[in-house]
Amino acid sequence: MPPVRPVVPAGSPGAASPRPKQPNKHDELRLLINSRHPIIAVETPEEDRVEALLADVAMDLGVGLYEWSVTTGLAKAHGAPLYNTDSPEQAVANIALIQGDGIFLLKDFARYCDNDKICRRLRDLAEKFRAVRRSIVLTAAKMELPADLEAEVMPFQLGLPEAEDLLPGVMQVLSDMNREQRIPMTLNPEAMRQLAQNLVGLPQEEALRALRKSVLERGKADAGLLDAVLETKREALRTEGLIETVRRDASFLDVAGLRHLRDWIAKRKNALTPEGRRFGLVPPKGVLITGVQGCGKSLAARAVAGEWGFELARLDAGALYDKYVGESERHLHKALELAQRLAPLVLWIDEIEKAFASAGSSGDADAGLSQRLLATLLTWMQDRESGVFLAATSNNIRVLPPEMLRKGRFDEIFFVDLPNTEVRVALFALHLKKRGRDAAGFDLARLGEASEGFSGAEIEQLIVAGLYTAFSAKLQLTTEILLAEMQSTQPLSVTRAEEVQSIRDWAKTRAVPAD
Ligand SMILES: Nc1ncnc2c1ncn2[C@@H]1O[C@H](COP(=O)(O)OP(=O)(O)OP(=O)(O)O)[C@@H](O)[C@H]1O
Ligand SMILES: [Mg+2]
């Protein structure tokens, strides 16, 4: 096989592919104009971005761009204003006289459209424009149009800037701060791209403000800045309600076993880098982790965030029912939208069956609601752009509606089984170390052998209980004390043997072993 050639020369963020700015938005807007929508409305506080986007589109289509504002009147971009066009009515009258194709950006114009004459003129203009490639673009932070006009107007969602849109600004801010304030900078181009990615979710100006704030707080622009901007972003978005951001306190270093799941996650990290994407790797969307109680499902879901350096947020699915009765769907919608803004993010839904299970059973009183909630979630899973990775866990996957488990929803369904001897040894070593004990002083092989049937959580509990016993007897913790604790404990796999077996049987054919 020939060696894989990097598509982009290493170390040059500016050398990223010569794609136009805001590629998707660019194409979308060009299509609207090309398909002869006479009036397009963009509700956004980010006027500068609209202007830049329109300049690109106008150039692309080879048409003139005119701009109007109440202070400058109507002018061709970078040209002198046309005489006597400050008044909105005169501006519209003038546009009617201009010949040829063109795009007319009218800033803050919505507020004048209540005037009957102006509204009528605009509608007449719209009628004439249908025959030629001419479009009026209205922008305003808040767009309220009279009903008559509304029917003629095509709304355009500008959306928030993507990482690529933010990157030039990010580089500019850092280089300015380096020059003017002597802030040391040690970020390589890849880190800068990641920095831009971490700021996605905020409008451009706000993103750059958050960046400046984080740099000033640190006094330098180094690798730690990547986390710092996530923190600032989180503050800026003031997360509340259903989504709660969680400290990233686990990585796969804290997980024993689950080797297959761990490899899977590690491999997917590349798909999240620009190089990986250019190579054609498809960014992962999510996993569902199911299995025996206490074997590390929730822990593994959290560890994904640590592994990838993503933000971690938990969606409290249960609250959809108790806390937001009557408004569950709206809140879920809002939460998912917020998740998108917090990207790059691992969205953790623990025990997903709690919110969506009864969607499967028509007899349940909540069935209608959970069906609608499920539909909202599934649509989101299908449509969303990458940047949010869903890590869901389920203790009882059998009650989940089949739509959720269908191929293509989750990238993979993993099954976490009771740990084997080797993993149990690792569990003892890990949890002894976590409690400040030197694992070398214990007979790990013996502990591993003797603890057949114990889950990770139960092994951790053995150590906790052993520490109590040792402390009250004024002894150090020993292998013997742990073995004695084991004797007096019945693991779940014994007390609820049937249940555990049925979970295993179910998973055998339907999920991939995590280990
Ligand atoms: N594989 C493991 N590696 C390291 N620690 C583990 C492992 N499995 C369990 N533990 C320990 O047990 C605790 C509980 O595990 P966790 O909550 O992740 O299990 P779970 O599978 O989600 O259980 P449940 O079904 O009760 O929700 C973890 O916080 C961790 O301390
Ligand atoms: Mg759990």
Side-chain angles (χ1 to χ4, degrees):
M1 210 171 72
V4 179
R5 241 178 348 118
V7 190
V8 171
S12 54
S17 54
R19 287 204 286 165
K21 256 184 106 206
Q22 306 175 18
N24 308 330
K25 290 295 160 191
H26 177 105
D27 294 349
E28 218 178 287
L29 191 55
R30 191 178 60 176
L31 183 66
L32 281 186
I33 292 171
N34 248 344
S35 49
R36 320 230 152 146
H37 285 286
I39 307 179
I40 298 165
V42 194
E43 187 177 68
T44 173
E46 295 192 275
E47 200 173 72
D48 292 353
R49 276 183 65 218
V50 179
E51 230 173 313
L53 190 58
L54 281 175
D56 278 352
V57 172
M59 178 124 79
D60 212 23
L61 293 174
V63 304
L65 173 63
Y66 295 81
E67 295 183 8
W68 179 89
S69 82
V70 69
T71 49
T72 60
L74 186 68
K76 195 153 186 183
H78 311 299
L82 304 182
Y83 173 70
N84 190 23
T85 50
D86 311 0
S87 108
E89 199 184 332
Q90 268 310 315
V92 182
N94 264 280
I95 290 173
L97 298 175
I98 293 174
Q99 299 291 319
D101 293 347
I103 301 174
F104 303 89
L105 170 62
L106 310 186
K107 298 176 180 173
D108 289 331
F109 204 79
R111 68 178 73 189
Y112 309 110
C113 297
D114 272 343
N115 178 304
D116 287 345
K117 257 184 164 169
I118 293 177
C119 181
R120 183 68 245 177
R121 272 184 189 272
L122 266 180
R123 292 176 58 204
D124 290 346
L125 211 50
E127 208 37 57
K128 273 168 71 186
F129 275 20
R130 284 191 206 285
V132 285
R133 199 170 50 173
R134 310 177 89 191
S135 294
I136 286 178
V137 178
L138 307 174
T139 61
K142 189 109 199 77
M143 188 74 68
E144 273 161 17
L145 295 171
D148 287 353
L149 192 56
E150 191 118 28
E152 311 274 353
V153 168
M154 185 71 188
F156 173 75
Q157 304 290 343
L158 181 63
L160 290 162
E162 292 170 25
E164 272 176 69
D165 309 320
L166 292 173
L167 185 58
V170 165
M171 293 187 348
Q172 189 66 48
V173 164
L174 292 180
S175 118
D176 289 353
M177 292 183 89
N178 176 257
R179 204 182 49 246
E180 290 159 15
Q181 288 155 302
R182 304 247 158 266
I183 302 253
M185 191 172 89
T186 52
L187 289 172
N188 63 24
E190 183 46 45
M192 272 213 251
R193 275 201 209 108
Q194 187 61 51
L195 195 58
Q197 183 64 53
N198 287 6
L199 286 164
V200 168
L202 297 174
Q204 172 126 354
E205 275 316 306
E206 208 177 323
L208 299 181
R209 252 201 317 274
L211 175 63
R212 278 189 211 100
K213 176 167 178 271
S214 304
V215 173
L216 286 178
E217 275 167 8
R218 294 185 67 72
K220 58 188 170 196
D222 61 346
L225 188 59
L226 297 184
D227 268 354
V229 296
L230 281 180
E231 182 73 38
T232 312
K233 178 165 92 173
R234 185 161 53 193
E235 280 166 24
L237 291 175
R238 267 180 243 102
T239 62
E240 55 190 28
L242 275 177
I243 289 218
E244 169 204 9
T245 48
V246 182
R247 253 180 68 85
R248 252 187 294 145
D249 56 355
S251 79
F252 278 104
L253 292 176
D254 304 289
V255 182
L258 277 53
R259 206 171 313 143
H260 184 61
L261 170 61
R262 189 196 300 224
D263 287 350
W264 192 96
I265 294 293
K267 235 185 237 164
R268 295 307 175 283
K269 185 173 185 179
N270 298 327
L272 303 159
T273 62
E275 282 70 24
R277 288 206 200 172
R278 275 187 217 108
F279 188 69
L281 301 181
V282 181
K285 289 192 158 193
V287 287
L288 176 60
I289 308 174
T290 174
V292 181
Q293 287 95 322
C295 290
K297 297 185 294 290
S298 304
L299 177 65
R302 277 161 36 219
V304 178
E307 203 60 26
W308 287 348
F310 275 29
E311 188 84 357
L312 175 65
R314 181 184 166 139
L315 179 80
D316 183 0
L320 284 173
Y321 293 86
D322 346 325
K323 212 160 140 196
Y324 299 113
V325 208
E327 292 184 299
S328 311
E329 284 154 279
R330 192 169 69 78
H331 277 276
L332 179 60
H333 216 87
K334 262 180 68 182
L336 296 174
E337 216 173 75
L338 178 62
Q340 205 77 57
R341 300 185 66 188
L342 282 164
L345 174 84
V346 171
L347 183 62
W348 172 32
I349 308 186
D350 211 24
E351 308 187 0
I352 195 169
E353 70 273 18
K354 289 209 173 136
F356 304 105
S358 47
S361 58
S362 50
D364 198 290
D366 275 339
L369 175 57
S370 48
Q371 223 138 32
R372 293 196 302 275
L373 292 176
L374 178 69
T376 305
L377 183 75
L378 292 181
T379 312
W380 177 79
M381 281 171 78
Q382 200 92 15
D383 297 348
R384 97 199 114 108
E385 290 159 21
S386 58
V388 180
F389 181 81
L390 186 60
T393 72
S394 169
N395 288 3
N396 190 0
I397 199 171
R398 270 167 300 184
V399 300
L400 285 176
E403 298 97 287
M404 189 180 269
L405 304 178
R406 200 171 294 151
K407 263 276 171 237
R409 302 289 194 206
F410 288 102
D411 297 311
E412 200 62 272
I413 300 177
F414 284 102
F415 174 69
V416 180
D417 204 348
L418 284 168
N420 62 22
T421 317
E422 186 195 334
V423 175
R424 292 198 301 275
V425 167
L427 278 162
F428 274 106
L430 192 84
H431 286 287
L432 281 168
K433 193 170 154 225
K434 265 200 168 169
R435 282 166 181 78
R437 296 303 186 282
D438 181 5
F442 292 80
D443 188 346
L444 292 178
R446 215 169 132 209
L447 288 169
E449 281 297 334
S451 54
E452 165 108 55
F454 281 73
S455 69
E458 286 165 337
I459 288 178
E460 186 181 15
Q461 276 316 303
L462 285 179
I463 295 173
V464 170
L467 283 169
Y468 275 112
T469 306
F471 190 76
S472 62
K474 299 197 168 46
L475 295 168
Q476 265 309 328
L477 181 65
T478 60
T479 302
E480 280 63 39
I481 292 179
L482 289 173
L483 288 169
E485 290 295 343
M486 228 179 276
Q487 287 300 320
S488 61
T489 317
Q490 288 271 41
L492 213 74
S493 64
V494 173
T495 54
R496 280 153 70 181
E498 255 174 48
E499 189 186 323
V500 170
Q501 194 52 45
S502 88
I503 295 178
R504 289 170 132 177
D505 292 342
W506 186 93
K508 227 178 265 164
T509 51
R510 295 169 175 91
V512 176
D515 217 334

